[in-house]
Amino acid sequence: MHQTLVRVNQRVIKEAISSHTGTNYPFYSASRLLSEASSKQFYQEVDNLYFRFQQQATLDQMLYPTEELKPFKTY
Protein backbone atom coordinates (compact mmCIF):
# COMPACT_ATOMS: atom_id res chain seq x y z
CA MET A 1 0.00 0.00 0.00
CA HIS A 2 2.79 2.41 0.91
CA GLN A 3 4.48 1.95 -2.47
CA THR A 4 1.20 2.61 -4.26
CA LEU A 5 0.63 5.85 -2.35
CA VAL A 6 4.18 6.99 -3.06
CA ARG A 7 3.77 6.23 -6.76
CA VAL A 8 0.42 8.05 -6.99
CA ASN A 9 1.74 11.12 -5.17
CA GLN A 10 4.88 11.24 -7.30
CA ARG A 11 2.75 11.06 -10.44
CA VAL A 12 0.52 13.93 -9.22
CA ILE A 13 3.54 16.08 -8.36
CA LYS A 14 5.17 15.34 -11.70
CA GLU A 15 1.95 16.32 -13.50
CA ALA A 16 1.59 19.51 -11.47
CA ILE A 17 5.14 20.59 -12.24
CA SER A 18 5.52 19.50 -15.85
CA SER A 19 2.16 20.47 -17.30
CA HIS A 20 2.04 24.02 -15.97
CA THR A 21 4.64 26.38 -17.35
CA GLY A 22 3.14 29.67 -16.13
CA THR A 23 3.44 31.19 -12.69
CA ASN A 24 -0.13 30.43 -11.58
CA TYR A 25 -0.39 26.69 -10.93
CA PRO A 26 -1.43 24.62 -7.90
CA PHE A 27 1.93 23.48 -6.58
CA TYR A 28 4.03 25.12 -3.90
CA SER A 29 7.51 24.29 -2.81
CA ALA A 30 9.62 26.48 -0.58
CA SER A 31 12.77 26.23 1.42
CA ARG A 32 13.70 28.89 3.96
CA LEU A 33 15.81 29.18 7.09
CA LEU A 34 13.62 29.18 10.22
CA SER A 35 14.07 28.80 13.93
CA GLU A 36 13.01 25.53 15.56
CA ALA A 37 10.03 27.30 17.19
CA SER A 38 8.82 28.70 13.86
CA SER A 39 9.22 25.33 12.17
CA LYS A 40 7.12 23.65 14.86
CA GLN A 41 4.46 26.35 14.55
CA PHE A 42 4.20 25.88 10.78
CA TYR A 43 4.04 22.10 11.10
CA GLN A 44 1.20 22.49 13.59
CA GLU A 45 -0.65 24.84 11.25
CA VAL A 46 -0.26 22.37 8.36
CA ASP A 47 -1.56 19.57 10.59
CA ASN A 48 -4.54 21.74 11.59
CA LEU A 49 -5.30 22.57 7.96
CA TYR A 50 -5.12 18.90 7.00
CA PHE A 51 -7.53 18.04 9.82
CA ARG A 52 -9.96 20.75 8.60
CA PHE A 53 -9.64 19.42 5.05
CA GLN A 54 -10.60 15.93 6.25
CA GLN A 55 -13.52 17.26 8.30
CA GLN A 56 -14.87 19.30 5.39
CA ALA A 57 -14.62 16.35 3.01
CA THR A 58 -16.53 14.18 5.47
CA LEU A 59 -19.24 16.82 5.91
CA ASP A 60 -19.57 17.38 2.17
CA GLN A 61 -19.92 13.64 1.57
CA MET A 62 -22.67 13.45 4.18
CA LEU A 63 -24.55 16.56 3.02
CA TYR A 64 -24.23 16.63 -0.79
CA PRO A 65 -25.39 14.12 -3.38
CA THR A 66 -22.49 12.24 -4.97
CA GLU A 67 -23.09 13.84 -8.37
CA GLU A 68 -22.40 17.28 -6.87
CA LEU A 69 -18.98 16.25 -5.55
CA LYS A 70 -15.79 16.20 -7.55
CA PRO A 71 -12.33 14.79 -6.82
CA PHE A 72 -9.95 17.15 -5.08
CA LYS A 73 -6.25 16.44 -4.70
CA THR A 74 -4.04 18.66 -2.59
CA TYR A 75 -0.57 19.46 -3.91
Side-chain angles (χ1 to χ4, degrees):
M1 179 71 160
H2 173 74
Q3 290 178 345
T4 301
L5 292 174
V6 169
R7 206 170 35 253
V8 167
N9 283 318
Q10 287 175 340
R11 187 174 44 218
V12 168
I13 291 170
K14 181 179 178 182
E15 174 67 22
I17 293 172
S18 65
S19 67
H20 296 89
T21 56
T23 58
N24 187 19
Y25 60 94
F27 182 80
Y28 301 96
S29 178
S31 178
R32 301 288 187 266
L33 297 174
L34 293 172
S35 69
E36 185 70 24
S38 293
S39 295
K40 286 180 180 180
Q41 179 183 350
F42 280 115
Y43 279 123
Q44 185 61 54
E45 290 177 21
V46 169
D47 286 344
N48 291 344
L49 181 59
Y50 181 73
F51 180 74
R52 286 182 31 224
F53 169 75
Q54 294 291 349
Q55 279 185 311
Q56 190 62 54
T58 299
L59 286 173
D60 282 5
Q61 290 173 36
M62 290 188 321
L63 299 174
Y64 290 91
T66 304
E67 57 274 359
E68 289 185 29
L69 300 173
K70 63 180 183 177
F72 180 83
K73 173 71 176 158
T74 59
Y75 296 98

